[in-house]
Short mmCIF file of all heavy atoms in Angstrom, two decimals:
data_model
loop_
_atom_site.label_atom_id
_atom_site.label_comp_id
_atom_site.label_asym_id
_atom_site.label_seq_id
_atom_site.Cartn_x
_atom_site.Cartn_y
_atom_site.Cartn_z
N ALA A 206 -19.13 27.96 -50.20
CA ALA A 206 -20.36 28.57 -50.71
C ALA A 206 -20.39 28.70 -52.22
O ALA A 206 -21.40 29.10 -52.79
CB ALA A 206 -20.55 29.93 -50.08
N LEU A 207 -19.29 28.38 -52.90
CA LEU A 207 -19.22 28.55 -54.35
C LEU A 207 -19.51 27.26 -55.08
O LEU A 207 -19.15 26.15 -54.63
CB LEU A 207 -17.82 29.04 -54.74
CG LEU A 207 -17.43 30.44 -54.27
CD1 LEU A 207 -16.00 30.76 -54.65
CD2 LEU A 207 -18.36 31.49 -54.83
N ALA A 208 -20.13 27.40 -56.26
CA ALA A 208 -20.35 26.24 -57.13
C ALA A 208 -19.03 25.80 -57.70
O ALA A 208 -18.04 26.54 -57.71
CB ALA A 208 -21.33 26.63 -58.23
N ASP A 209 -18.98 24.56 -58.24
CA ASP A 209 -17.76 23.99 -58.76
C ASP A 209 -17.47 24.43 -60.20
O ASP A 209 -17.30 23.61 -61.11
CB ASP A 209 -17.81 22.46 -58.67
CG ASP A 209 -17.71 21.96 -57.25
OD1 ASP A 209 -17.26 22.71 -56.39
OD2 ASP A 209 -18.09 20.79 -57.02
N VAL A 210 -17.43 25.72 -60.38
CA VAL A 210 -17.07 26.30 -61.69
C VAL A 210 -16.16 27.50 -61.43
O VAL A 210 -16.28 28.17 -60.42
CB VAL A 210 -18.32 26.75 -62.47
CG1 VAL A 210 -19.17 25.56 -62.86
CG2 VAL A 210 -19.14 27.75 -61.69
N ASP A 211 -15.24 27.70 -62.37
CA ASP A 211 -14.33 28.86 -62.22
C ASP A 211 -14.92 30.07 -62.89
O ASP A 211 -15.98 30.01 -63.54
CB ASP A 211 -12.96 28.52 -62.77
CG ASP A 211 -11.84 29.30 -62.08
OD1 ASP A 211 -12.18 30.11 -61.18
OD2 ASP A 211 -10.67 29.11 -62.40
N ALA A 212 -14.22 31.16 -62.78
CA ALA A 212 -14.70 32.45 -63.28
C ALA A 212 -14.75 32.47 -64.82
O ALA A 212 -13.90 31.88 -65.51
CB ALA A 212 -13.82 33.56 -62.77
N THR A 213 -15.73 33.18 -65.33
CA THR A 213 -15.80 33.50 -66.74
C THR A 213 -16.07 35.00 -66.85
O THR A 213 -16.34 35.68 -65.85
CB THR A 213 -16.95 32.74 -67.43
OG1 THR A 213 -18.22 33.15 -66.87
CG2 THR A 213 -16.79 31.25 -67.27
N GLU A 214 -16.03 35.52 -68.07
CA GLU A 214 -16.30 36.95 -68.25
C GLU A 214 -17.73 37.26 -67.84
O GLU A 214 -18.00 38.34 -67.26
CB GLU A 214 -16.07 37.35 -69.72
CG GLU A 214 -14.60 37.32 -70.13
CD GLU A 214 -14.40 37.87 -71.53
OE1 GLU A 214 -15.38 38.41 -72.09
OE2 GLU A 214 -13.26 37.75 -72.05
N GLU A 215 -18.64 36.35 -68.13
CA GLU A 215 -20.04 36.61 -67.77
C GLU A 215 -20.31 36.41 -66.29
O GLU A 215 -21.14 37.10 -65.69
CB GLU A 215 -20.95 35.67 -68.58
CG GLU A 215 -20.91 35.86 -70.09
CD GLU A 215 -19.69 35.24 -70.73
OE1 GLU A 215 -19.01 34.41 -70.07
OE2 GLU A 215 -19.37 35.60 -71.87
N ASN A 216 -19.62 35.47 -65.68
CA ASN A 216 -19.85 35.13 -64.27
C ASN A 216 -18.52 35.09 -63.52
O ASN A 216 -17.82 34.07 -63.56
CB ASN A 216 -20.56 33.78 -64.15
CG ASN A 216 -21.93 33.80 -64.77
OD1 ASN A 216 -22.79 34.57 -64.40
ND2 ASN A 216 -22.14 32.90 -65.76
N PRO A 217 -18.16 36.18 -62.83
CA PRO A 217 -16.92 36.19 -62.06
C PRO A 217 -16.88 35.10 -60.99
O PRO A 217 -15.82 34.62 -60.65
CB PRO A 217 -16.91 37.58 -61.44
CG PRO A 217 -17.82 38.40 -62.31
CD PRO A 217 -18.86 37.46 -62.78
N PHE A 218 -18.06 34.76 -60.46
CA PHE A 218 -18.18 33.65 -59.54
C PHE A 218 -19.63 33.21 -59.53
O PHE A 218 -20.53 33.98 -59.88
CB PHE A 218 -17.71 34.00 -58.13
CG PHE A 218 -18.50 35.11 -57.47
CD1 PHE A 218 -19.67 34.85 -56.76
CD2 PHE A 218 -18.08 36.43 -57.58
CE1 PHE A 218 -20.39 35.87 -56.15
CE2 PHE A 218 -18.79 37.46 -56.99
CZ PHE A 218 -19.94 37.18 -56.29
N VAL A 219 -19.88 31.97 -59.13
CA VAL A 219 -21.25 31.43 -59.06
C VAL A 219 -21.44 30.83 -57.66
O VAL A 219 -20.65 29.97 -57.25
CB VAL A 219 -21.49 30.36 -60.14
CG1 VAL A 219 -22.91 29.79 -60.00
CG2 VAL A 219 -21.27 30.94 -61.53
N LEU A 220 -22.46 31.26 -56.97
CA LEU A 220 -22.74 30.71 -55.65
C LEU A 220 -23.42 29.33 -55.77
O LEU A 220 -24.18 29.08 -56.71
CB LEU A 220 -23.65 31.67 -54.86
CG LEU A 220 -23.06 33.00 -54.49
CD1 LEU A 220 -24.08 33.88 -53.78
CD2 LEU A 220 -21.82 32.86 -53.62
N ARG A 221 -23.11 28.47 -54.82
CA ARG A 221 -23.72 27.16 -54.78
C ARG A 221 -25.23 27.28 -54.52
O ARG A 221 -25.66 28.02 -53.66
CB ARG A 221 -23.07 26.33 -53.68
CG ARG A 221 -23.57 24.88 -53.58
CD ARG A 221 -22.96 24.21 -52.38
NE ARG A 221 -21.51 24.18 -52.45
CZ ARG A 221 -20.80 23.25 -53.07
NH1 ARG A 221 -21.44 22.27 -53.71
NH2 ARG A 221 -19.48 23.30 -53.09
N ASP A 222 -26.01 26.54 -55.28
CA ASP A 222 -27.47 26.61 -55.15
C ASP A 222 -27.93 25.73 -54.00
O ASP A 222 -28.59 24.72 -54.18
CB ASP A 222 -28.14 26.17 -56.48
CG ASP A 222 -29.63 26.42 -56.46
OD1 ASP A 222 -30.07 27.30 -55.69
OD2 ASP A 222 -30.34 25.72 -57.20
N SER A 223 -27.58 26.13 -52.79
CA SER A 223 -27.90 25.35 -51.59
C SER A 223 -29.22 25.83 -50.98
O SER A 223 -29.77 26.87 -51.38
CB SER A 223 -26.79 25.52 -50.56
OG SER A 223 -26.72 26.87 -50.13
N PHE A 224 -29.70 25.09 -50.00
CA PHE A 224 -30.90 25.50 -49.28
C PHE A 224 -30.66 26.84 -48.58
O PHE A 224 -31.59 27.65 -48.39
CB PHE A 224 -31.34 24.43 -48.29
CG PHE A 224 -30.49 24.31 -47.07
CD1 PHE A 224 -30.80 24.97 -45.89
CD2 PHE A 224 -29.34 23.52 -47.09
CE1 PHE A 224 -30.03 24.85 -44.76
CE2 PHE A 224 -28.55 23.38 -45.95
CZ PHE A 224 -28.87 24.05 -44.80
N LEU A 225 -29.43 27.10 -48.18
CA LEU A 225 -29.10 28.38 -47.55
C LEU A 225 -29.35 29.55 -48.49
O LEU A 225 -29.97 30.56 -48.12
CB LEU A 225 -27.64 28.37 -47.09
CG LEU A 225 -27.27 27.37 -45.99
CD1 LEU A 225 -25.75 27.24 -45.90
CD2 LEU A 225 -27.83 27.82 -44.66
N LEU A 226 -28.82 29.42 -49.70
CA LEU A 226 -28.97 30.50 -50.69
C LEU A 226 -30.43 30.66 -51.10
O LEU A 226 -30.92 31.77 -51.29
CB LEU A 226 -28.10 30.20 -51.91
CG LEU A 226 -28.09 31.27 -52.99
CD1 LEU A 226 -27.40 32.55 -52.47
CD2 LEU A 226 -27.39 30.77 -54.26
N GLN A 227 -31.12 29.52 -51.26
CA GLN A 227 -32.52 29.59 -51.69
C GLN A 227 -33.43 30.30 -50.68
O GLN A 227 -34.31 31.06 -51.06
CB GLN A 227 -33.05 28.17 -51.96
CG GLN A 227 -32.36 27.49 -53.11
CD GLN A 227 -32.71 25.99 -53.19
OE1 GLN A 227 -33.57 25.50 -52.45
NE2 GLN A 227 -32.00 25.26 -54.07
N GLU A 228 -33.19 30.06 -49.40
CA GLU A 228 -34.07 30.62 -48.37
C GLU A 228 -33.57 31.98 -47.86
O GLU A 228 -34.38 32.82 -47.47
CB GLU A 228 -34.19 29.63 -47.22
CG GLU A 228 -34.93 28.37 -47.57
CD GLU A 228 -36.36 28.62 -48.01
OE1 GLU A 228 -37.00 29.58 -47.45
OE2 GLU A 228 -36.85 27.93 -48.93
N VAL A 229 -32.25 32.16 -47.80
CA VAL A 229 -31.70 33.41 -47.30
C VAL A 229 -30.61 33.85 -48.29
O VAL A 229 -29.40 33.58 -48.09
CB VAL A 229 -31.09 33.23 -45.88
CG1 VAL A 229 -30.68 34.59 -45.30
CG2 VAL A 229 -32.10 32.56 -44.96
N PRO A 230 -30.99 34.55 -49.35
CA PRO A 230 -30.03 34.90 -50.41
C PRO A 230 -28.80 35.69 -49.92
O PRO A 230 -27.74 35.59 -50.54
CB PRO A 230 -30.88 35.74 -51.40
CG PRO A 230 -32.28 35.29 -51.15
CD PRO A 230 -32.37 34.97 -49.69
N ASP A 231 -28.96 36.43 -48.85
CA ASP A 231 -27.82 37.22 -48.32
C ASP A 231 -27.21 36.57 -47.07
O ASP A 231 -26.62 37.24 -46.24
CB ASP A 231 -28.25 38.65 -48.01
CG ASP A 231 -29.40 38.73 -46.99
OD1 ASP A 231 -30.06 37.69 -46.77
OD2 ASP A 231 -29.61 39.82 -46.44
N TYR A 232 -27.31 35.26 -46.97
CA TYR A 232 -26.83 34.56 -45.76
C TYR A 232 -25.33 34.75 -45.53
O TYR A 232 -24.87 34.79 -44.39
CB TYR A 232 -27.17 33.05 -45.81
CG TYR A 232 -26.25 32.19 -46.62
CD1 TYR A 232 -25.17 31.54 -46.06
CD2 TYR A 232 -26.50 32.01 -48.00
CE1 TYR A 232 -24.34 30.73 -46.79
CE2 TYR A 232 -25.67 31.21 -48.74
CZ TYR A 232 -24.58 30.57 -48.15
OH TYR A 232 -23.76 29.77 -48.91
#
């Protein structure tokens, strides 16, 4: 479920921008 980027101070993690996340953000 995670995007292909590692953690930064601004973003501890980034979720993959999939159709799942777009339609059901708390899936």
Side-chain angles (χ1 to χ4, degrees):
L207 295 176
D209 289 341
V210 294
D211 208 358
T213 63
E214 290 186 9
E215 297 78 16
N216 297 301
F218 61 88
V219 178
L220 295 177
R221 184 185 300 274
D222 188 24
S223 65
F224 72 95
L225 294 166
L226 184 67
Q227 293 170 9
E228 293 299 324
V229 187
D231 59 344
Y232 80 94

